Amino acid sequence: MAKWGQGDPRWIVEERADGTNVNNWHWTERDATSWSRSKLQEVLVGLVVEGEAGRCEICELKQVEGEASCSSRKGRLIFFYEWNLRLSWRGTVKESGEKHKGSIEIPNLSEENEVDDTEINVSKKKGEGDILKELMRTEGTTKVREALRDYLRALKTEFTLGMILPTKAAGQELTAERKLSGNTVQESASPHLLGLVGVKIPTVRILMREIFNSPADELYSIFTTKELVQKFSKCPAVIEAEKGGKLLMFDGCVSGEYTELIPGKRLVLKWRCRNWPDEHYATVALNFKDMVAETELQVECKGVPVSNEDSTRQWWKKQYFEEIHNLLQQSKDNMD
């Protein structure tokens, strides 16, 4: 229990500008239902599926029943979502030019199931054109799952910006009460990083490794070439790949600058997420270990705020690693 007057940081409210939920201790909740309806509309409607059979397009999100929310407790984010969706699609048979319509039902998109296990049912209005139904049942279902992943990724990153508040200790260094994993080391950020005298925030060092099916110089270019960054991030970006050059990605959710560049071998960045304490940056070092046809990417993030450790890991795993894997696979498919 928090003890008044004994330095417990959960009571340090009067010295905060917002005066609320210090150190993210208390339960807070944000309704994501309205936002989710708009995001589901954005990622699903207009989705095009093409194949030898013809061309189909999802033209309407006819039914969106359910709700979504995000809660924060002790610096952790908890997600709830449950949706029943019905989509309309229309298509044209390639050989005959016949036009047909159908629907897609997703009866239970929820946190209880992985997207790959979520039921997706495709149907078509009576008549000929089952070849289009089969196209939507196979390739169409794959694209719908990709769109649902985009929605969930945005829910866990874009929607949650600002939910984890910066922490502050009153005249003492705040200690993180948690167990440290083997690839996480606790640090303490210097006061000057925040630009506030006498204020420290607890930080951690995160270590990650990922194997990519790509030569080192090609993988390096994905982090330093504007066009490639925009491809895997699916957002406009500012990429000035030179020492002191600016970095701006994911609609401004990530910013920083390049501080060291050794082509094909090493890249060092000043790096921050928008919801971190003002002017606080981590130092991110990317080391590219060439393994002939593959590359091991070694990532070291120093100075990550403790309360943002999990979200930072997810950023790198979901927004960087997974999307770069997808980009490399697309390039390979195009070559084949």
Side-chain angles (χ1 to χ4, degrees):
M1 180 177 178
K3 298 179 180 179
W4 178 263
Q6 295 187 24
D8 192 305
R10 283 166 286 173
W11 285 115
I12 309 303
V13 174
E14 65 275 7
E15 295 190 13
R16 284 183 59 101
D18 56 16
T20 59
N21 202 19
V22 174
N23 298 321
N24 306 287
W25 186 262
H26 302 294
W27 180 280
T28 61
E29 183 171 310
R30 183 185 293 180
D31 187 358
T33 302
S34 178
W35 178 91
S36 292
R37 291 176 185 272
S38 298
K39 180 58 69 171
L40 287 166
Q41 173 90 12
E42 175 187 323
V43 300
L44 289 167
V45 176
L47 192 151
V48 174
V49 182
E50 291 188 274
E52 294 182 0
R55 182 183 187 277
C56 297
E57 178 181 348
I58 295 179
C59 53
E60 186 180 0
L61 182 56
K62 296 197 70 172
Q63 177 180 300
V64 189
E65 293 182 348
E67 59 182 325
S69 64
C70 177
S71 303
S72 170
R73 174 72 167 101
K74 296 184 181 180
R76 305 289 182 179
L77 293 174
I78 304 166
F79 297 92
F80 170 81
Y81 54 91
E82 189 171 26
W83 295 105
N84 182 352
L85 310 174
R86 185 155 60 91
L87 311 164
S88 295
W89 61 267
R90 60 190 173 205
T92 304
V93 179
K94 187 174 183 179
E95 291 187 358
S96 66
E98 292 179 353
K99 298 184 182 298
H100 298 277
K101 296 180 179 180
S103 63
I104 298 174
E105 292 196 11
I106 306 170
N108 185 27
L109 174 65
S110 72
E111 80 280 0
E112 295 179 357
N113 302 309
E114 296 290 336
V115 171
D116 286 341
D117 298 327
T118 299
E119 185 179 355
I120 298 178
N121 301 314
V122 177
S123 61
K124 187 189 69 65
K125 291 188 175 181
K126 292 182 179 180
E128 301 295 328
D130 284 341
I131 192 172
L132 292 181
K133 177 182 175 182
E134 184 64 16
L135 175 65
M136 291 300 292
R137 191 186 67 80
T138 54
E139 296 183 37
T141 295
T142 298
K143 287 206 168 187
V144 167
R145 292 192 195 281
E146 290 175 359
L148 295 178
R149 289 190 191 95
D150 288 342
Y151 155 66
L152 294 177
R153 190 177 298 117
L155 174 64
K156 295 177 180 181
T157 54
E158 176 186 325
F159 179 77
T160 60
L161 288 176
M163 285 197 69
I164 299 296
L165 300 172
T167 61
K168 178 177 177 179
Q172 64 180 31
E173 185 174 337
L174 179 61
T175 302
E177 297 177 358
R178 60 182 180 82
K179 293 181 180 180
L180 300 176
S181 62
N183 60 350
T184 302
V185 180
Q186 188 171 348
E187 309 168 327
S188 180
S190 300
H192 73 271
L193 288 176
L194 286 177
L196 298 173
V197 177
V199 177
K200 294 184 179 182
I201 63 170
T203 64
V204 295
R205 177 165 63 100
I206 299 174
L207 302 176
M208 292 174 283
R209 288 179 173 83
E210 187 78 7
I211 303 294
F212 291 92
N213 186 21
S214 164
D217 56 349
E218 180 182 340
L219 183 61
Y220 177 91
S221 69
I222 290 177
F223 286 91
T224 55
T225 305
K226 179 179 179 179
E227 291 74 18
L228 295 177
V229 169
Q230 291 182 155
K231 277 188 177 181
F232 83 75
S233 66
K234 300 181 177 65
C235 294
V238 175
I239 302 295
E240 300 174 355
E242 59 184 17
K243 189 171 183 178
K246 300 303 180 185
L247 170 75
L248 190 66
M249 300 174 61
F250 304 110
D251 288 330
C253 292
V254 167
S255 60
E257 69 178 54
Y258 293 88
T259 61
E260 182 182 346
L261 301 95
I262 304 176
K265 296 185 180 297
R266 180 174 168 83
L267 196 59
V268 181
L269 313 166
K270 278 180 59 180
W271 189 95
R272 63 173 272 108
C273 285
R274 186 163 57 194
N275 63 328
W276 287 10
D278 291 345
E279 301 304 318
H280 180 77
Y281 288 84
T283 298
V284 176
L286 308 176
N287 290 295
F288 302 82
K289 185 178 179 182
D290 203 336
M291 299 159 53
V292 188
E294 295 181 331
T295 301
E296 180 184 72
L297 177 63
Q298 301 172 347
V299 181
E300 179 188 38
C301 303
K302 295 178 65 177
V304 175
V306 167
S307 60
N308 298 102
E309 178 187 348
D310 288 345
S311 60
T312 300
R313 285 184 184 280
Q314 289 304 311
W315 259 110
W316 280 91
K317 289 180 180 179
K318 301 294 185 181
Q319 304 296 333
Y320 284 92
F321 297 168
E322 286 188 12
E323 294 303 332
I324 290 174
H325 278 302
N326 291 338
L327 176 61
L328 292 171
Q329 185 60 48
Q330 290 171 10
S331 298
K332 182 181 178 181
D333 293 342
N334 290 337
M335 290 179 65
D336 294 342

